[in-house]
Amino acid sequence: MSKCELLIFDWDGTLADSIGRIVQAMHLAAAECDLPRLDDASVKGIIGLALPDAIACLYPQLTSAASIEVFRQRYSEHYLALEHQPSPLFPGVVEWLERFREQGMLLAVATGKSRRGLDRMLASCRWERYFDITRCADETAGKPDPLMLDEILVHCGKRADQAVMVGDSVFDLQMAQRAGMEAVAVSYGAQAPDVLAQHSPQRIINRFEELGEWLAARNACEVERYVG
Protein backbone atom coordinates (compact mmCIF):
# COMPACT_ATOMS: atom_id res chain seq x y z
CA MET A 1 0.00 0.00 0.00
CA SER A 2 1.37 3.42 -0.98
CA LYS A 3 0.33 6.87 0.13
CA CYS A 4 -2.88 7.91 -1.63
CA GLU A 5 -2.19 10.80 -4.01
CA LEU A 6 -5.26 10.54 -6.26
CA LEU A 7 -8.95 10.37 -5.30
CA ILE A 8 -11.40 9.28 -8.01
CA PHE A 9 -15.09 9.94 -7.42
CA ASP A 10 -18.31 8.66 -8.88
CA TRP A 11 -20.74 11.54 -9.45
CA ASP A 12 -24.43 10.65 -8.91
CA GLY A 13 -25.05 9.51 -5.36
CA THR A 14 -21.44 10.08 -4.28
CA LEU A 15 -20.80 13.77 -4.85
CA ALA A 16 -24.23 14.91 -6.13
CA ASP A 17 -27.56 14.30 -4.37
CA SER A 18 -29.28 13.29 -7.61
CA ILE A 19 -30.54 9.74 -7.03
CA GLY A 20 -34.17 10.77 -6.45
CA ARG A 21 -34.31 12.64 -9.75
CA ILE A 22 -32.78 9.71 -11.65
CA VAL A 23 -35.39 7.34 -10.22
CA GLN A 24 -38.24 9.73 -11.00
CA ALA A 25 -37.06 10.28 -14.58
CA MET A 26 -36.86 6.50 -15.11
CA HIS A 27 -40.43 6.08 -13.90
CA LEU A 28 -41.70 8.87 -16.15
CA ALA A 29 -39.89 7.44 -19.18
CA ALA A 30 -41.31 3.97 -18.50
CA ALA A 31 -44.83 5.35 -18.36
CA GLU A 32 -44.41 7.13 -21.71
CA CYS A 33 -43.05 3.93 -23.27
CA ASP A 34 -45.94 1.82 -21.87
CA LEU A 35 -43.59 -0.20 -19.70
CA PRO A 36 -44.30 -1.38 -16.14
CA ARG A 37 -43.25 0.84 -13.25
CA LEU A 38 -40.47 -0.89 -11.32
CA ASP A 39 -39.83 -0.36 -7.64
CA ASP A 40 -37.36 2.32 -6.62
CA ALA A 41 -34.82 -0.23 -5.34
CA SER A 42 -34.61 -1.88 -8.76
CA VAL A 43 -33.89 1.45 -10.44
CA LYS A 44 -31.30 2.39 -7.83
CA GLY A 45 -29.62 -0.96 -8.43
CA ILE A 46 -28.54 0.01 -11.96
CA ILE A 47 -27.38 3.54 -11.21
CA GLY A 48 -23.74 3.78 -12.17
CA LEU A 49 -24.04 1.87 -15.42
CA ALA A 50 -23.95 3.63 -18.76
CA LEU A 51 -27.53 4.66 -19.54
CA PRO A 52 -28.16 2.23 -22.45
CA ASP A 53 -26.84 -0.64 -20.32
CA ALA A 54 -29.00 0.44 -17.39
CA ILE A 55 -32.13 0.57 -19.55
CA ALA A 56 -31.40 -2.88 -21.00
CA CYS A 57 -31.00 -4.30 -17.48
CA LEU A 58 -34.24 -2.78 -16.23
CA TYR A 59 -36.33 -3.58 -19.31
CA PRO A 60 -34.96 -6.65 -21.13
CA GLN A 61 -38.16 -6.67 -23.22
CA LEU A 62 -36.61 -3.76 -25.14
CA THR A 63 -34.76 -6.00 -27.56
CA SER A 64 -33.65 -3.52 -30.21
CA ALA A 65 -31.21 -0.65 -30.12
CA ALA A 66 -33.96 1.58 -31.51
CA SER A 67 -36.36 0.87 -28.65
CA ILE A 68 -33.63 1.46 -26.07
CA GLU A 69 -32.79 4.74 -27.78
CA VAL A 70 -36.43 5.89 -27.61
CA PHE A 71 -36.45 5.16 -23.86
CA ARG A 72 -33.12 6.93 -23.44
CA GLN A 73 -34.45 10.03 -25.14
CA ARG A 74 -37.57 10.07 -22.95
CA TYR A 75 -35.47 9.60 -19.82
CA SER A 76 -33.07 12.38 -20.82
CA GLU A 77 -35.93 14.81 -21.48
CA HIS A 78 -37.46 14.17 -18.06
CA TYR A 79 -34.14 14.27 -16.26
CA LEU A 80 -33.21 17.60 -17.85
CA ALA A 81 -36.59 19.02 -16.83
CA LEU A 82 -36.07 17.86 -13.24
CA GLU A 83 -32.52 19.24 -13.28
CA HIS A 84 -33.45 22.81 -14.26
CA GLN A 85 -31.80 23.55 -10.94
CA PRO A 86 -28.78 21.23 -10.73
CA SER A 87 -28.77 18.65 -7.96
CA PRO A 88 -26.76 19.96 -5.02
CA LEU A 89 -23.57 18.37 -3.84
CA PHE A 90 -23.88 16.47 -0.57
CA PRO A 91 -23.04 18.28 2.68
CA GLY A 92 -19.32 18.66 3.17
CA VAL A 93 -18.34 17.84 -0.42
CA VAL A 94 -17.26 21.33 -1.52
CA GLU A 95 -15.37 21.97 1.70
CA TRP A 96 -13.50 18.67 1.51
CA LEU A 97 -12.72 18.94 -2.19
CA GLU A 98 -11.11 22.29 -1.43
CA ARG A 99 -9.25 20.78 1.52
CA PHE A 100 -8.01 17.85 -0.57
CA ARG A 101 -6.76 20.35 -3.13
CA GLU A 102 -4.92 22.29 -0.44
CA GLN A 103 -3.29 19.03 0.66
CA GLY A 104 -1.96 18.51 -2.87
CA MET A 105 -4.27 15.64 -3.79
CA LEU A 106 -5.16 14.98 -7.41
CA LEU A 107 -8.92 14.65 -7.93
CA ALA A 108 -10.89 12.96 -10.72
CA VAL A 109 -14.40 11.84 -11.65
CA ALA A 110 -15.31 8.45 -13.17
CA THR A 111 -19.03 8.37 -13.94
CA GLY A 112 -21.72 6.55 -15.84
CA LYS A 113 -23.11 9.93 -16.92
CA SER A 114 -22.68 11.17 -20.46
CA ARG A 115 -20.01 13.75 -21.23
CA ARG A 116 -22.69 16.29 -22.10
CA GLY A 117 -24.53 15.65 -18.84
CA LEU A 118 -21.46 15.85 -16.64
CA ASP A 119 -20.13 18.98 -18.34
CA ARG A 120 -23.48 20.68 -17.84
CA MET A 121 -23.37 19.87 -14.13
CA LEU A 122 -19.76 20.95 -13.69
CA ALA A 123 -20.26 24.23 -15.54
CA SER A 124 -23.43 25.12 -13.62
CA CYS A 125 -21.51 25.95 -10.45
CA ARG A 126 -17.91 25.96 -11.75
CA TRP A 127 -17.24 22.62 -10.09
CA GLU A 128 -14.88 21.66 -12.92
CA ARG A 129 -12.12 23.62 -11.17
CA TYR A 130 -11.78 20.88 -8.56
CA PHE A 131 -10.87 18.06 -10.95
CA ASP A 132 -7.74 17.21 -12.88
CA ILE A 133 -9.60 14.86 -15.24
CA THR A 134 -13.12 13.49 -15.69
CA ARG A 135 -14.15 10.38 -17.61
CA CYS A 136 -17.67 9.47 -18.76
CA ALA A 137 -19.28 6.25 -19.93
CA ASP A 138 -20.03 7.47 -23.45
CA GLU A 139 -16.37 8.23 -24.23
CA THR A 140 -14.77 5.07 -22.83
CA ALA A 141 -15.86 1.66 -21.51
CA GLY A 142 -18.67 1.81 -18.95
CA LYS A 143 -18.52 0.46 -15.41
CA PRO A 144 -17.51 -2.05 -14.13
CA ASP A 145 -14.88 -2.21 -16.88
CA PRO A 146 -11.74 -0.59 -15.37
CA LEU A 147 -10.74 1.28 -18.53
CA MET A 148 -11.79 4.72 -17.30
CA LEU A 149 -9.73 4.24 -14.15
CA ASP A 150 -6.75 3.14 -16.22
CA GLU A 151 -7.11 6.25 -18.36
CA ILE A 152 -7.27 8.49 -15.29
CA LEU A 153 -4.14 6.87 -13.85
CA VAL A 154 -2.23 7.42 -17.08
CA HIS A 155 -3.33 11.05 -17.29
CA CYS A 156 -2.33 11.71 -13.67
CA GLY A 157 0.89 9.71 -13.83
CA LYS A 158 -0.06 7.53 -10.87
CA ARG A 159 -0.20 3.80 -10.13
CA ALA A 160 -3.32 2.00 -8.97
CA ASP A 161 -1.87 1.62 -5.45
CA GLN A 162 -1.56 5.42 -5.22
CA ALA A 163 -5.28 5.99 -5.88
CA VAL A 164 -8.62 5.35 -4.17
CA MET A 165 -12.01 5.04 -5.89
CA VAL A 166 -15.00 6.47 -4.00
CA GLY A 167 -18.50 5.40 -5.04
CA ASP A 168 -22.00 4.42 -4.02
CA SER A 169 -22.62 1.35 -6.20
CA VAL A 170 -21.30 -2.17 -6.62
CA PHE A 171 -20.22 -1.17 -10.13
CA ASP A 172 -17.81 1.37 -8.65
CA LEU A 173 -16.37 -1.24 -6.30
CA GLN A 174 -16.10 -3.90 -9.01
CA MET A 175 -14.37 -1.41 -11.31
CA ALA A 176 -11.84 -0.56 -8.61
CA GLN A 177 -11.17 -4.23 -7.87
CA ARG A 178 -10.53 -4.95 -11.54
CA ALA A 179 -8.12 -2.02 -11.69
CA GLY A 180 -6.24 -3.23 -8.60
CA MET A 181 -7.31 -0.13 -6.69
CA GLU A 182 -8.62 0.41 -3.16
CA ALA A 183 -12.21 1.62 -2.84
CA VAL A 184 -14.33 3.48 -0.31
CA ALA A 185 -18.11 3.10 -0.45
CA VAL A 186 -20.64 5.71 0.64
CA SER A 187 -23.81 4.57 2.38
CA TYR A 188 -25.94 7.62 1.52
CA GLY A 189 -26.23 7.01 -2.25
CA ALA A 190 -27.94 4.48 -4.48
CA GLN A 191 -27.22 1.17 -2.77
CA ALA A 192 -27.51 -0.12 0.78
CA PRO A 193 -24.45 -0.69 2.98
CA ASP A 194 -25.07 -4.44 3.26
CA VAL A 195 -25.00 -4.72 -0.55
CA LEU A 196 -21.84 -2.64 -0.80
CA ALA A 197 -20.13 -4.61 1.98
CA GLN A 198 -20.33 -7.78 -0.14
CA HIS A 199 -17.69 -6.23 -2.42
CA SER A 200 -15.14 -5.60 0.35
CA PRO A 201 -14.51 -1.85 0.25
CA GLN A 202 -11.76 -0.63 2.55
CA ARG A 203 -14.32 1.54 4.33
CA ILE A 204 -18.02 2.39 4.16
CA ILE A 205 -18.64 6.01 5.13
CA ASN A 206 -21.92 7.59 6.22
CA ARG A 207 -20.87 11.23 5.72
CA PHE A 208 -18.50 12.69 3.17
CA GLU A 209 -16.27 14.20 5.85
CA GLU A 210 -15.43 10.68 7.03
CA LEU A 211 -13.45 10.21 3.83
CA GLY A 212 -10.98 12.89 4.90
CA GLU A 213 -10.66 11.36 8.35
CA TRP A 214 -10.07 7.88 6.93
CA LEU A 215 -7.60 9.12 4.35
CA ALA A 216 -5.57 11.04 6.94
CA ALA A 217 -5.33 7.95 9.14
CA ARG A 218 -4.48 5.72 6.18
CA ASN A 219 -1.72 7.97 4.88
CA ALA A 220 -0.32 8.49 8.37
CA CYS A 221 -0.04 4.74 8.81
CA GLU A 222 1.74 4.44 5.48
CA VAL A 223 4.22 7.18 6.39
CA GLU A 224 4.86 5.53 9.77
CA ARG A 225 5.38 2.15 8.13
CA TYR A 226 7.82 3.65 5.62
CA VAL A 227 9.78 5.61 8.24
CA GLY A 228 9.81 2.68 10.64
Side-chain angles (χ1 to χ4, degrees):
M1 180 178 69
S2 298
K3 180 181 178 182
C4 179
E5 301 178 9
L6 167 61
L7 287 172
I8 305 172
F9 299 97
D10 170 57
W11 186 262
D12 293 307
T14 300
L15 297 181
D17 188 4
S18 51
I19 300 300
R21 293 179 180 181
I22 293 173
V23 172
Q24 186 177 357
M26 281 289 184
H27 290 329
L28 291 169
E32 284 197 7
C33 294
D34 295 321
L35 292 166
R37 180 188 176 98
L38 302 178
D39 59 87
D40 289 359
S42 295
V43 177
K44 290 179 181 180
I46 54 78
I47 293 176
L49 292 175
L51 185 53
D53 295 335
I55 294 167
C57 285
L58 288 175
Y59 293 103
Q61 58 268 54
L62 298 177
T63 57
S64 69
S67 61
I68 291 175
E69 176 59 20
V70 169
F71 191 107
R72 187 200 66 77
Q73 291 176 359
R74 298 293 181 272
Y75 166 84
S76 296
E77 290 167 1
H78 287 295
Y79 187 74
L80 284 172
L82 293 167
E83 280 277 291
H84 63 282
Q85 290 293 328
S87 295
L89 301 187
F90 284 104
V93 167
V94 169
E95 293 81 0
W96 272 99
L97 291 180
E98 291 176 348
R99 190 173 301 185
F100 290 140
R101 275 297 198 194
E102 292 169 359
Q103 295 170 357
M105 296 286 296
L106 298 173
L107 305 178
V109 171
T111 177
K113 295 181 80 69
S114 68
R115 169 53 61 189
R116 181 178 179 183
L118 180 64
D119 283 351
R120 178 176 52 81
M121 293 295 298
L122 293 174
S124 66
C125 296
R126 297 189 60 247
W127 289 324
E128 72 275 5
R129 69 187 187 275
Y130 294 119
F131 303 107
D132 297 278
I133 180 176
T134 61
R135 298 299 288 158
C136 299
D138 62 347
E139 62 192 7
T140 184
K143 302 174 185 179
D145 190 298
L147 181 59
M148 67 172 72
L149 294 185
D150 293 339
E151 292 169 344
I152 289 170
L153 291 172
V154 169
H155 176 87
C156 294
K158 300 299 178 183
R159 304 185 308 271
D161 65 344
Q162 296 174 305
V164 172
M165 175 70 204
V166 185
D168 68 319
S169 77
V170 298
F171 310 115
D172 297 316
L173 304 182
Q174 290 169 342
M175 178 175 65
Q177 288 171 344
R178 294 178 186 183
M181 187 181 298
E182 289 186 339
V184 170
V186 305
S187 67
Y188 52 76
Q191 297 183 357
D194 59 331
V195 175
L196 298 170
Q198 296 174 23
H199 295 270
S200 304
Q202 272 60 47
R203 179 74 181 269
I204 298 177
I205 61 173
N206 300 310
R207 302 183 313 279
F208 193 81
E209 65 193 48
E210 294 177 24
L211 175 63
E213 298 165 0
W214 173 82
L215 188 65
R218 176 198 181 281
N219 282 348
C221 288
E222 177 58 21
V223 170
E224 182 178 346
R225 184 191 68 80
Y226 180 78
V227 173

